[in-house]
Amino acid sequence: MFDATTILAYKGKNKAVIGGDGQVTFGNSVLKGNATKIRTLHNGKILAGFAGSTADAFNLFDMFEDFLEAKKGDILKSVVEFSKAWRKDKVLRRLEAMMIVLNNEHIFILTGNGDVVEPEDGEIASIGSGGNFAISAARALKKHAEMDEEDLVRESLSIAADLCIYTNHNIKTLILEGETK
């Protein structure tokens, strides 16, 4: 379980969205309330979010970007090769970290154990301490409310922030426009 982070990604009909809160904690203290834990990669064609320490995030984002470049933006090939490399690296595999990466076609959760998980529904994924709250809210909103993808992500993260002490309401989102597959 990763304290201080909630990341939620949704690959809806019209766009793909990733969102994250801004809280960074150390033990029982809030160190920062406006951190950015999401970013675009590969010329804005891939969205990524991270749960874990900030230094690790930069290292893993850069490493994943290198695989995207080598595989010419093919997210499926990139996640497999990246996860192999992450797992094989003696230092990196010990990180208590997770990533979500997505484009308009795929969404994956990645770990240092070599896990490459595509959510069962292929649409919604979450990581971090408030992840279960956020994904529960997202699934309920998707089923029972007519909402834009970005609004669904924002509202789900807001609900998570109401419930998880390691999640705040300083929510940021990134969007990939265009019909998803």
Side-chain angles (χ1 to χ4, degrees):
M1 184 74 72
F2 304 102
D3 297 340
T5 302
T6 302
I7 304 294
L8 177 69
Y10 176 41
K11 188 174 64 71
K13 291 179 185 175
N14 302 308
K15 51 189 149 181
V17 180
I18 194 164
D21 76 305
Q23 185 163 296
V24 175
T25 60
F26 183 73
N28 60 2
S29 298
V30 176
L31 293 179
K32 185 174 182 173
N34 64 346
T36 301
K37 304 169 190 175
I38 56 175
R39 69 163 46 168
T40 59
L41 303 173
H42 196 64
N43 302 316
K45 296 177 185 171
I46 307 286
L47 302 176
F50 182 84
S53 81
T54 306
D56 298 336
F58 291 125
N59 190 15
L60 291 171
F61 279 145
D62 290 345
M63 186 175 156
F64 185 65
E65 182 89 66
D66 291 343
F67 280 96
L68 284 169
E69 292 301 319
K71 301 296 180 188
K72 298 179 178 27
D74 186 322
I75 194 171
L76 191 55
K77 290 179 182 177
S78 298
V79 295
V80 170
E81 293 303 315
F82 170 75
S83 290
K84 285 181 192 177
W86 186 0
R87 184 172 169 243
K88 289 179 183 177
D89 188 291
K90 290 179 182 181
V91 175
L92 293 178
R93 73 174 173 225
R94 292 190 183 125
L95 300 178
E96 291 190 16
M98 297 179 83
M99 289 176 66
I100 294 178
V101 296
L102 73 152
N103 63 9
N104 286 332
E105 296 178 35
H106 298 285
I107 183 170
F108 298 101
I109 298 171
L110 310 174
T111 74
N113 294 330
D115 299 316
V116 176
V117 179
E118 190 163 22
E120 188 172 329
D121 65 5
E123 295 179 339
I124 305 172
S126 66
I127 56 175
S129 56
N132 286 336
F133 299 120
I135 200 167
S136 296
R139 287 177 178 163
L141 290 170
K142 179 180 174 251
K143 185 174 181 179
H144 297 290
E146 291 291 323
M147 296 180 82
D148 171 81
E149 290 90 341
E150 183 180 15
D151 292 339
L152 184 140
V153 168
R154 284 186 174 280
E155 184 61 26
S156 299
L157 286 167
S158 181
I159 291 168
D162 289 342
L163 300 170
C164 177
I165 62 170
Y166 297 109
T167 304
N168 70 11
H169 287 277
N170 189 345
I171 296 164
K172 296 176 183 171
T173 59
L174 296 171
I175 302 166
L176 291 177
E177 298 286 346
E179 192 171 314
T180 62
K181 298 177 185 177

